[in-house]
Amino acid sequence: MRTTTFAAVAVIAGAALTACGSGSGGADGGAGGDGSAENAKVAFLMPDLASTRYELADKPLFEAKMKQLCAGCTVIYQNADSDASKQQQQANSALAQGVKAIVIDPVDSAAAATIVKSAQAQNVPVIAYDRPIPTTPADYYISFDNEKIGSMIAQSLVDHLKEEKAEGGILQVNGSPTDAAAGLIKKGVHGAVDPSGFKLLAEYDTPDWQPEKAQTWVSGQITRFRDEIAGVVAANDGTGGGSIAAFKAAGVKVPPVTGNDAELAAAQRIISGDQYNTISKPIKIVAEAAADAAYRFARGEKPAGKTKLYDTPSELFTPTVVTKDNINEVLFQSGIMKASEACTGEYAKGCAELGIK
């Protein structure tokens, strides 16, 4: 994708956030119906430590936006470290502390239904963040379009394989089977791979998105299929990194491998040529939109959403595919990532070749 596409997404996202912050929603739902939220507490519950984004990006960005919206508000942050029971305890603790809204990225999308029911029974609205909660509608859902993410990374890979006249089949490394967002990504991947003409050699649902488990599975497939593997569709940068590590450990040439999240390590792998693509979904967009929605709920308002998913009012933003061809403009010239962080040591030469500075 070109920078113009990325810019358009940013403008649309900015407009959406402005619209959310306009205060035009009705005061007919959620806690704090008196419209007073100067000292409100809001819970921000993230799912795991396997992905670095939650500690390094989502948390500080959400907190900063909440501070901007409400200087006296308090954010109660917890990370469940891939433990659904722990996340339930964290939600219960937040409710006991009198939060006016819960923003949750669920470890287990099905198990999170209990959290939604408990919160709503106490008139505390729940905002599903990044991952939906299909079985019990939350009050709001904010994410990038996960099915589209799957379709985009897979189609990008398929197009590249066809351009290279590659032969063989594709391995599909999905995300966690307990994550509804992973299921949407998986659906999007199949939508691109199944009609592609490339055989789907095998696929795997990676427990808890753990890169090590993805690596172990891919290692087995290398033994099984060897030279038949033309490419790997991995659902995020962690599983993509694990897949790449498997090929390197086997002493086999790394085929094109996808990713998702535009983590620093993934950007470096793209620069060095080890990873084919990733997805840039600027976390600032969703983190700020979630903070805005949480503040509105705390004020007793009820955001309407732009669409519906799983009977939940939703905002779904459009991401950008990143490859070597556009990594400089999308990640570095845009300011999302700093060259000083990515272009270190062995990556300096690749950065210079791509004009990243």
Side-chain angles (χ1 to χ4, degrees):
M1 288 189 177
R2 294 191 178 97
T3 304
T4 50
T5 304
F6 176 81
V9 172
V11 170
I12 292 169
L17 295 179
T18 302
C20 269
S22 64
S24 60
D28 59 345
D34 60 357
S36 175
E38 298 90 18
N39 299 303
K41 295 177 182 177
V42 172
F44 191 62
L45 309 180
M46 295 295 100
D48 62 64
L49 297 169
S51 175
T52 59
R53 55 168 283 194
Y54 300 113
E55 303 290 317
L56 298 180
D58 297 79
K59 173 183 181 286
L61 288 167
F62 181 85
E63 290 176 336
K65 184 63 177 179
M66 281 299 303
K67 193 72 173 176
Q68 177 187 338
L69 292 169
C70 176
C73 289
T74 301
V75 175
I76 297 173
Y77 171 75
Q78 296 287 341
N79 190 303
D81 196 13
S82 302
D83 186 332
S85 297
K86 184 177 181 180
Q87 190 166 62
Q88 176 73 65
Q89 294 166 5
Q90 292 169 343
N92 291 342
S93 174
L95 289 169
Q97 294 177 66
V99 295
K100 297 295 185 183
I102 291 177
V103 179
I104 181 170
D105 193 336
V107 173
D108 185 318
S109 296
T114 302
I115 295 173
V116 174
K117 291 174 183 175
S118 297
Q120 291 176 343
Q122 299 180 46
N123 294 319
V124 176
V126 176
I127 300 166
Y129 179 84
D130 198 30
R131 304 174 182 178
I133 303 172
T135 56
T136 301
D139 296 273
Y140 209 63
Y141 174 49
I142 292 174
S143 181
F144 283 88
D145 189 330
N146 286 295
E147 185 173 341
K148 193 162 190 176
I149 286 171
S151 175
M152 291 170 74
I153 59 175
Q155 193 60 56
S156 169
L157 178 74
V158 166
D159 291 345
H160 176 68
L161 294 178
K162 287 182 177 179
E163 288 172 7
E164 296 295 313
K165 295 181 170 47
E167 296 181 355
I170 291 173
L171 295 179
Q172 183 172 329
V173 185
N174 303 314
S176 173
T178 62
D179 176 358
L184 292 170
I185 294 171
K186 180 178 179 177
K187 182 179 179 183
V189 170
H190 274 291
V193 170
D194 292 352
S196 69
F198 289 99
K199 181 180 178 181
L200 179 60
L201 298 173
E203 68 176 301
Y204 176 66
D205 294 339
T206 310
D208 298 324
W209 292 92
Q210 289 292 332
E212 296 83 3
K213 293 178 181 178
Q215 180 176 347
T216 298
W217 181 78
V218 172
S219 293
Q221 306 315 302
I222 293 170
T223 300
R224 180 181 176 191
F225 294 109
R226 204 70 181 184
D227 296 334
E228 295 179 55
I229 303 170
V232 179
V233 181
N236 77 342
D237 290 333
T239 55
S243 301
I244 291 165
F247 284 96
K248 290 193 169 187
V252 177
K253 181 181 177 182
V254 180
V257 177
T258 73
N260 161 35
D261 283 336
E263 293 183 348
L264 175 61
Q268 291 176 321
R269 289 193 295 266
I270 290 173
I271 290 167
S272 68
D274 286 332
Q275 184 167 321
Y276 177 65
N277 72 21
T278 187
I279 283 279
S280 174
K281 44 183 187 182
I283 293 168
K284 182 178 173 68
I285 292 175
V286 288
E288 292 192 347
D292 190 273
Y295 181 55
R296 290 190 63 188
F297 274 120
R299 289 166 55 193
E301 300 174 7
K302 190 173 182 179
K306 307 294 184 293
T307 185
K308 271 201 169 186
L309 187 67
Y310 300 118
D311 288 329
T312 305
S314 305
E315 284 186 83
L316 302 177
F317 299 103
T318 302
T320 304
V321 173
V322 178
T323 66
K324 259 191 177 183
D325 292 338
N326 66 351
I327 190 170
N328 189 17
E329 52 191 341
V330 174
L331 294 185
F332 295 97
Q333 292 178 359
S334 68
I336 291 174
M337 196 171 287
K338 295 179 181 178
S340 59
E341 295 174 345
C343 301
T344 57
E346 63 185 290
Y347 304 105
K349 181 181 178 181
C351 283
E353 292 173 351
L354 295 173
I356 300 170
K357 55 186 179 181

